[in-house]
Amino acid sequence: MSQDSISPLALDNRRTSRPSKGDVITTTRLYLEDPRLLEFSARIVDRQTDSGKTLLELSETAELSETAFYPTSGGQPHDTGTIGDVPVVDVFEDGDAIMHVLGGSLKDVAVTVGKVDWSRRHDHMQQHTGQHILSQALIEVCGTPTVGFTIGPDWSTIVIERKPNAESLREALELANSVIAEDRPIEMLFPTEAQLESMPLRSRPPEDKRVRIVHVHGFDWSPCGGTHCTSTGDVRLIGVLGVRKEKQYRVEFVCGGRAARVFLENLETMGNLAALLDVGPGELQERASALLEKSRDQESRLRELRSNLMDSECKRLLEQVDENGGIIALVLDDWTTAEIRQLAHMLVDRNGVVALLAAREPDKMGLAFARSADRSEDMNRLMQAICKEYSCRGGGNPAFATGGGGSPADAEKAVQHATNSITQ
């Protein structure tokens, strides 16, 4: 028998022993063979009040003889919908059974009707099928296998161990989208062990479970229990948002309706930016690069001016230091905490100086207390006392201490308090 002619096999209903509830019928997973099945009838096998899976005051967990609801697993979130008109807020696996967490209580009936929310189901089908296609494309073009996958609320993530360069990533994306454009059929297969051995699988399945293979015709063979489109055309489009480095590399992407929304949002943003900069969309990158270079030049010039200002201020303050017993107490507006720290270091390079500086920033004050090597005042102890008085945090060593927080309106009082503590 050829691989293309393998017929799907229904999963067997089996009985399993669970000490807490006795023998129950294992849930038949209807979504495995028909991801477009949205309404079904099933017997209520078991129900429990307040499973602890939801914060709703009234909740019930139901186990059904069969279900079309997909439980959270394999990187794919659970389905939502209703069972007996009661909202389904979570679906999870309990061994071979599937448990449905409800936002209310079911009627006391033996058989009930479940309805799966199609918009959420279809979105997950597009994302998961797109992942299979993109993962295989990354192998073919970049030689990079997928080691993890997650469908998030806004985008999905493929985890890989090596980062592809921009050119190869683009080539892989083009290959994936060409497979989508060809509208290839997608089959859900339940092969025998012998048939499984002959399949060119992208990853090996668990040995202790009945295996379903998702086959993107002529392109990808993967063991997977998720919900998938029945043809690649239903994925519509795959777009890569970027590659982020954590412990491994994360390829962030969107498919289907999500990709369309991102495209329209980006198109609108480009149009707004082009109008703002008075250029055509094709000129945006050139204009942005020019503005960035101009901004860098201005920042460099500003740093130079600030450095000159600091040198000038240091010189001015040191010319007056002998008049104040070596104490320089000053509140500086439009200075940052980092800048007054640098100024304090410069001032105490000279002997006989104590610098008590404060920066009045928009939402806080910054403090820098320093002394020359030939003086004995304890700057750390002084900083701790001032911070306690004015709701700041800080510390350091006997020669240099910094702090920040509190109210910028208290800057003068804090500096005067510190000055009094030294002079008294």
Side-chain angles (χ1 to χ4, degrees):
M1 181 182 294
S2 70
Q3 293 169 345
D4 290 347
S5 64
I6 298 173
S7 300
L9 303 175
L11 291 179
D12 297 330
N13 280 342
R14 294 171 293 171
R15 296 181 69 83
T16 181
S17 177
R18 285 188 283 157
S20 61
K21 294 166 28 178
D23 286 347
V24 298
I25 299 176
T26 300
T27 309
T28 300
R29 306 182 182 216
L30 302 173
Y31 59 81
L32 285 174
E33 296 205 42
D34 186 0
R36 290 179 174 271
L37 176 65
L38 303 179
E39 186 170 339
F40 64 97
S41 297
R43 288 180 294 106
I44 301 175
V45 175
D46 187 44
R47 51 201 290 183
Q48 301 175 15
T49 302
D50 188 14
S51 68
K53 287 285 183 179
T54 176
L55 297 179
L56 296 174
E57 290 185 5
L58 177 61
S59 67
E60 186 171 270
T61 300
E63 179 185 354
L64 307 179
S65 59
E66 55 188 15
T67 186
F69 284 91
Y70 182 82
T72 298
S73 61
Q76 179 177 329
H78 63 85
D79 285 325
T80 58
T82 60
I83 295 177
D85 296 326
V86 179
V88 176
V89 298
D90 191 13
V91 187
F92 65 96
E93 293 180 310
D94 181 11
D96 288 332
I98 295 178
M99 312 303 293
H100 308 76
V101 181
L102 309 175
S105 183
L106 287 173
K107 294 179 181 178
D108 189 14
V109 295
V111 178
T112 190
V113 174
K115 297 179 181 179
V116 177
D117 180 270
W118 170 245
S119 61
R120 181 177 171 96
R121 161 66 66 83
H122 189 222
D123 171 59
H124 291 169
M125 289 165 59
Q126 289 181 320
Q127 308 316 309
H128 206 153
T129 308
Q131 176 263 314
H132 280 224
I133 297 169
L134 182 56
S135 288
Q136 179 61 25
L138 286 169
I139 287 179
E140 292 195 11
V141 176
C142 310
T144 305
T146 293
V147 296
F149 161 65
T150 304
I151 297 176
D154 300 309
W155 62 80
S156 300
T157 302
I158 288 173
V159 181
I160 55 180
E161 293 181 344
R162 292 187 295 106
K163 182 180 180 180
N165 60 48
E167 183 179 349
S168 61
L169 180 59
R170 181 170 182 172
E171 185 179 345
L173 186 59
E174 288 176 350
L175 172 59
N177 280 306
S178 71
V179 171
I180 290 172
E182 292 167 2
D183 196 21
R184 302 189 186 196
I186 299 174
E187 299 173 287
M188 312 300 164
L189 310 175
F190 295 87
T192 64
E193 290 186 11
Q195 292 165 342
L196 194 63
E197 286 299 321
S198 65
M199 293 180 175
L201 301 180
R202 177 159 47 85
S203 60
R204 300 308 304 176
E207 295 182 357
D208 59 341
K209 292 185 178 181
R210 190 68 175 276
V211 177
R212 184 186 72 162
I213 302 299
V214 178
H215 176 209
V216 179
H217 187 77
F219 188 68
D220 182 59
W221 302 75
S222 295
C224 185
T227 56
H228 296 275
C229 302
T230 55
S231 70
T232 61
D234 193 26
V235 180
R236 297 169 60 185
L237 177 68
I238 302 175
V240 171
L241 305 179
V243 180
R244 186 157 48 91
K245 177 70 168 71
E246 292 184 354
K247 290 182 179 180
Q248 296 167 305
Y249 292 94
R250 304 171 66 86
V251 181
E252 296 172 346
F253 68 98
V254 286
C255 302
R258 296 192 190 192
R261 285 192 296 273
V262 169
F263 172 78
L264 292 175
E265 290 169 0
N266 289 349
L267 195 63
E268 182 179 3
T269 299
M270 287 178 61
N272 292 338
L273 286 174
L276 184 65
L277 299 176
D278 195 25
V279 296
E283 302 171 283
L284 270 176
Q285 185 171 345
E286 181 180 353
R287 177 58 64 88
S289 296
L291 288 174
L292 182 59
E293 186 63 30
K294 182 178 180 180
S295 175
R296 286 170 177 166
D297 289 342
Q298 290 175 338
E299 287 178 0
S300 177
R301 178 58 180 160
L302 180 59
R303 284 194 297 270
E304 182 180 351
L305 291 173
R306 296 293 289 185
S307 178
N308 292 338
L309 173 63
M310 193 170 296
D311 289 340
S312 176
E313 186 70 4
C314 180
K315 182 178 179 181
R316 182 186 70 81
L317 292 171
L318 288 176
E319 287 175 350
Q320 304 172 8
V321 70
D322 293 334
E323 300 173 7
N324 303 313
I327 298 176
I328 299 174
L330 188 65
V331 176
L332 294 164
D333 292 316
D334 301 321
W335 284 56
T336 66
T337 303
E339 287 173 335
I340 66 167
R341 290 173 183 172
Q342 185 178 350
L343 179 59
H345 276 297
M346 294 169 64
L347 291 170
V348 297
D349 274 347
R350 172 175 164 175
N351 285 339
V353 176
V354 173
L356 307 174
L357 307 181
R360 190 162 23 217
E361 299 191 46
D363 58 347
K364 65 177 181 179
M365 62 175 165
L367 300 171
F369 297 168
R371 64 164 172 81
S372 301
D374 63 333
R375 297 197 61 144
S376 60
E377 293 90 348
D378 190 331
M379 295 295 101
N380 181 50
R381 182 178 297 177
L382 179 61
M383 180 62 70
Q384 297 288 346
I386 296 301
C387 285
K388 182 177 180 180
E389 182 70 21
Y390 296 98
S391 302
C392 299
R393 298 181 64 182
N397 58 56
F400 192 93
T402 60
S407 169
D410 289 333
E412 284 91 353
K413 290 188 289 185
V415 169
Q416 187 59 54
H417 189 158
T419 302
N420 294 340
S421 297
I422 291 178
T423 57
Q424 288 177 354

